[in-house]
Amino acid sequence: MEKEKMTELARALMDLNEQKVYQLVEEKAKNGVSPLEILAECNEGMSGVGDLFSSGQYFLSQMLFAAEIFKNVMNRLEDIMPREESTASRGKVVIGTVKGDIHDIGKNIVVNLLRGSGFEVVDLGVDVPAEKFVAALKETGAKVLGMSALLNFTYPEMKTVVEEVTKAGLRDQVTIIIGGAPCNEQVRQFTGADYYAEDAVAGVNICKKVYS
Ligand code: B12
């Protein structure tokens, strides 16, 4: 995305202007802008950071700093994230970032949103090997498996997980969703997953459909 077309918040995050990011988030929250909209703007800023990294203008340390800012924004928005008041669990979802990949910001948004929507979430964290996904599915009887991957060299790992779920005899009972910025429909086809979710809301909607 061109810098001029970005929102002020996205640009501030891309420029790593920490105080400006917090100030804009505060203003938006006070003005009733939904936390998901705020996160979407931050997401755009993160893509900008990624682009600057791939073109060699930012280093790893700057990506780390951007992640730190994003996490602080998420903590700030925690209290106002959408929540459905219900004590009954809608269903169980196993989720994690695949082996070889430690990106977890997007996954954590999905986890928060799922919990807020009444799902019981087993979050396996990052760098999760296929066996661990399979074991968690067996243990919990969850009907949905969510995998996050942000690196194109971890796509084959998602395929491995799908294969292992199949070998364990669980494929018919489990709906598999993949997500993460560089994923798309083609990646879904390659991995053999059932759905590709372009954002956290799309992911939650698929889980609702599975458990409806
Ligand atoms: C922050 C960041 C990091 C941080 C991660 C910190 C953390 N705790 O997560 C650090 C600095 C550690 C990092 C490291 C690396 N990174 Co990095 N990183 C990023 C960056 C800038 C932002 C990612 C992010 O958090 N975005 C914000 C979140 C909210 O977005 P999201 O993850 O896409 O999630 C949303 C949706 O996709 C969806 N979603 C995500 N997962 C799931 C799962 C399910 C089930 C569902 C339903 C939905 C869903 O929901 C979210 C909300 O809507 C991206 C750039 C980009 N365009 O994404 C590069 C990027 C992903 N990184 C990249 C690279 C190359 C690396 C390194 C290999 C760099 C290096 N040389 O070491 C390492 C790899 C480390 C590893 N083994 O994992 C490349 C990957 C290129 C590629 N396609 O393979 C990118 C694209 C940057 C670039 N353009 O070059 N990185």
Side-chain angles (χ1 to χ4, degrees):
M1 150 117 25
E2 291 159 46
K3 196 170 171 174
E4 303 75 52
K5 288 190 186 148
M6 281 184 152
T7 66
E8 201 183 359
L9 174 54
R11 212 173 327 117
L13 182 53
M14 186 177 81
D15 293 340
L16 305 176
N17 191 341
E18 187 181 15
Q19 291 314 319
K20 179 108 183 258
V21 170
Y22 300 149
Q23 181 207 322
L24 290 169
V25 167
E26 213 52 52
E27 276 170 22
K28 283 174 188 287
K30 281 210 177 87
N31 290 331
V33 178
S34 89
L36 291 177
E37 268 176 63
I38 298 174
L39 286 177
E41 286 190 40
C42 291
N43 211 343
E44 200 187 305
M46 289 303 253
S47 301
V49 171
D51 293 345
L52 288 170
F53 175 76
S54 25
S55 63
Q57 295 171 74
Y58 272 0
F59 297 103
L60 200 60
S61 55
Q62 277 135 327
M63 275 212 293
L64 261 175
F65 185 41
E68 193 67 33
I69 300 174
F70 200 119
K71 282 183 184 171
N72 289 336
V73 170
M74 265 171 75
N75 287 340
R76 163 65 186 86
L77 298 177
E78 181 91 330
D79 293 341
I80 53 169
M81 283 294 271
R83 234 166 229 110
E84 288 172 28
E85 295 304 330
S86 161
T87 43
S89 161
R90 254 186 205 267
K92 291 177 187 164
V93 178
V94 168
I95 192 167
T97 300
V98 297
K99 191 165 104 185
D101 203 323
I102 60 162
H103 293 87
D104 67 354
I105 296 177
K107 170 191 69 66
N108 292 344
I109 295 179
V110 179
V111 169
N112 277 344
L113 214 59
L114 279 170
R115 290 193 173 134
S117 305
F119 289 94
E120 220 175 296
V121 184
V122 179
D123 180 5
L124 300 175
V126 298
D127 196 18
V128 181
E131 322 77 86
K132 212 166 159 188
F133 281 116
V134 173
L137 288 171
K138 281 187 183 156
E139 214 169 285
T140 60
K143 284 197 216 163
V144 180
L145 167 63
M147 285 187 277
S148 188
L150 276 278
L151 301 167
N152 44 23
F153 55 84
T154 52
Y155 297 163
E157 187 54 33
M158 294 197 280
K159 191 180 162 98
T160 303
V161 176
V162 175
E163 285 165 0
E164 289 303 315
V165 171
T166 310
K167 275 192 210 152
L170 299 170
R171 191 65 188 92
D172 298 348
Q173 304 135 53
V174 177
T175 299
I176 304 181
I177 313 172
I178 64 161
C183 290
N184 54 35
E185 186 51 31
Q186 254 177 319
V187 177
R188 183 201 68 75
Q189 277 177 21
F190 166 75
T191 60
D194 299 298
Y195 294 97
Y196 152 66
E198 66 171 353
D199 59 24
V201 174
V204 172
N205 285 339
I206 297 166
C207 294
K208 285 182 179 168
K209 215 164 74 182
V210 172
Y211 279 108
S212 65

